[in-house]
Amino acid sequence: MMPITTTAAILRQRGGPFTLEPVSLADPGPGQVLVKLAACGICFTDVGVQRYEQGTPLPQVLGHEGAGTVLAVGEGVAHVAAGDRVVLSYASCGQCGSCAGHHPQYCTSFMALNYAGVLSDGRVPMHQGEAPVFGGFFGQSSFAGAAIAYARNTIRLADDVPFALAAPFGCGLQTGAGTVYNTLDAQPGHSFVVLGAGSVGLAALLAAVDRGCATIVAVDRVAERLDLARAMGATHAINSAGMAAADLALALRAVVPTGIDRIVDTTGVSAVVRGGLEGLASRGQMALLAVTAPGSEITINPNTLLGGRRLVGAVEGDADPQAFIPWLIGRHRAGRFNHAPLVQTYPFAAINEAVADMAAGRAVKPVLLME
Ligand SMILES: [Zn+2]
Ligand SMILES: [Zn+2]
């Protein structure tokens, strides 16, 4: 097959904008899948790489919540074929101890497979003439009209889920919801708090509602997000603007005097994490999800952990995408996980506006439409 030409949003300079430019895309090699993209969500990880040096070579195409239709498959790819609708998630090797133990999110090759800028076979996925354009970001680089993914991170999608709603399952929804179902294993009757009601936090909230948590508290500094959280099932909302850690802990104790059973933090902000931890019940559990700016630190009082409390970090919701994403989409199709209110669509050409809207809190989950 001839290399195809498509349009990609290229990041040429750290901190710079994305520019839409034509690129030629390599053929899918063994174990690889060429996907024509219909939609791609924007996640804060994309913005982090846009802004901060994280070892990714430039120029590069980012984007890691792609959804679309398979154009062609390489040798040895059996579970999808040309014409299939798919969602793309993060890449993993399939062979290390973590992958073998169904924890591909902790794959020993995670950085090499998701951040190195080249495909796992060493090829640069895109070119402009002779000039390389790096990609393979999270095993996809989906800010483009087409991308090369791998069999392992290409997940079949049911016909009745629109691409714009399907795309964010690949990272943000999996991360927030998976943390509640898998990492924290929230139970019916638990009290639950989400610190930071962005797309990942609200996905966690939807999962807590689905699990039957009794008291569900959203904490954020943006009033509109707290309104959205209430509409999605929060029983309480706390505006944390200007709150010190002790104020937040007191506000949580006012809702549940015995302490909170399960907390998800998406902020990575020291005072918020500390306040949450001090509001946690004995034997309660709190998960940290935020990827923070280089040099960030969190200060906690270690005595707060002594009541059997657990503080844990997680990525990608501790989820194996081939199993978890179809399962979560099943919850969505059953009416148990309705994330539609989070999604705001933009034409692909408006990518910089969509990023700015997300950073400013005007959009919760921007999704670019490629067609
Ligand atoms: Zn692995
Ligand atoms: Zn992400």
Side-chain angles (χ1 to χ4, degrees):
M1 136 178 207
M2 290 289 290
I4 70 159
T5 300
T6 190
T7 302
I10 300 178
L11 179 69
R12 294 200 165 272
Q13 195 184 345
R14 200 72 59 196
F18 296 102
T19 53
L20 264 60
E21 302 179 35
V23 294
S24 62
L25 197 62
D27 285 344
Q32 296 173 357
V33 182
L34 177 63
V35 178
K36 181 179 190 293
L37 294 157
C40 184
I42 302 176
C43 173
F44 270 106
T45 302
D46 299 305
V47 181
V49 172
Q50 182 187 19
R51 290 179 179 172
Y52 308 114
E53 172 57 50
Q54 292 181 30
T56 46
L58 298 181
Q60 184 163 166
V61 178
L62 305 179
H64 63 287
E65 289 184 350
T69 307
V70 174
L71 284 176
V73 299
E75 191 188 316
V77 177
H79 77 297
V80 290
D84 285 349
R85 304 174 86 241
V86 294
V87 175
L88 305 178
S89 190
Y90 63 90
S92 59
C93 80
Q95 283 149 19
C96 70
S98 292
C99 286
H102 301 288
H103 283 288
Q105 66 279 11
Y106 306 119
C107 177
T108 53
S109 301
F110 190 92
M111 290 307 289
L113 287 171
N114 291 285
Y115 283 86
V118 296
L119 300 172
S120 62
D121 56 17
R123 294 188 301 159
V124 173
M126 289 163 282
H127 285 84
Q128 287 181 319
E130 296 296 306
V133 177
F134 297 102
F137 187 64
F138 278 73
Q140 45 184 297
S141 288
S142 289
F143 291 161
I148 292 182
Y150 304 99
R152 279 182 61 77
N153 69 328
T154 301
I155 291 107
R156 288 191 65 157
L157 174 65
D159 284 341
D160 59 350
V161 184
F163 287 125
L165 287 183
F169 281 104
C171 183
L173 299 177
Q174 169 170 255
T175 296
T179 301
V180 172
Y181 294 117
N182 302 327
T183 315
L184 297 177
D185 193 19
Q187 296 296 316
H190 269 163
S191 51
F192 175 85
V193 170
V194 63
L195 302 171
S199 60
V200 171
L202 290 170
L205 186 148
L206 285 173
V209 173
D210 182 34
R211 271 287 170 98
C213 291
T215 303
I216 298 178
V217 188
V219 178
D220 204 290
R221 294 178 302 179
V222 179
E224 292 79 12
R225 292 195 173 199
L226 294 174
D227 292 342
L228 188 55
R230 280 187 186 278
M232 297 178 82
T235 57
H236 298 74
I238 295 172
N239 192 321
S240 60
M243 275 192 181
D247 302 327
L248 177 57
L250 276 174
L252 294 176
R253 291 280 173 177
V255 177
V256 183
T258 52
I260 306 296
D261 296 309
R262 295 290 185 271
I263 300 180
V264 171
D265 174 76
T266 69
T267 72
V269 173
S270 186
V272 175
V273 172
R274 181 173 178 141
L277 194 56
E278 291 175 5
L280 199 58
S282 294
R283 303 186 69 235
Q285 297 181 24
M286 178 167 172
L288 304 188
L289 310 187
V291 177
T292 55
S296 309
E297 292 189 356
I298 282 173
T299 306
I300 62 168
N301 173 352
N303 291 333
T304 52
L305 288 174
L306 297 182
R309 297 178 183 88
R310 293 187 186 196
L311 185 61
V312 65
V315 298
E316 299 289 353
D318 281 321
D320 183 341
Q322 286 290 356
F324 184 75
I325 290 177
W327 180 84
L328 188 58
I329 290 176
R331 302 305 287 168
H332 170 73
R333 294 168 78 208
R336 302 285 305 180
F337 189 92
N338 179 18
H339 63 291
L342 307 181
V343 171
Q344 187 169 332
T345 59
Y346 293 79
F348 184 29
I351 180 171
N352 293 304
E353 181 192 336
V355 168
D357 282 356
M358 183 173 75
R362 291 187 292 268
V364 178
K365 172 51 77 179
V367 174
L368 303 170
L369 300 180
M370 278 67 181
E371 49 191 22

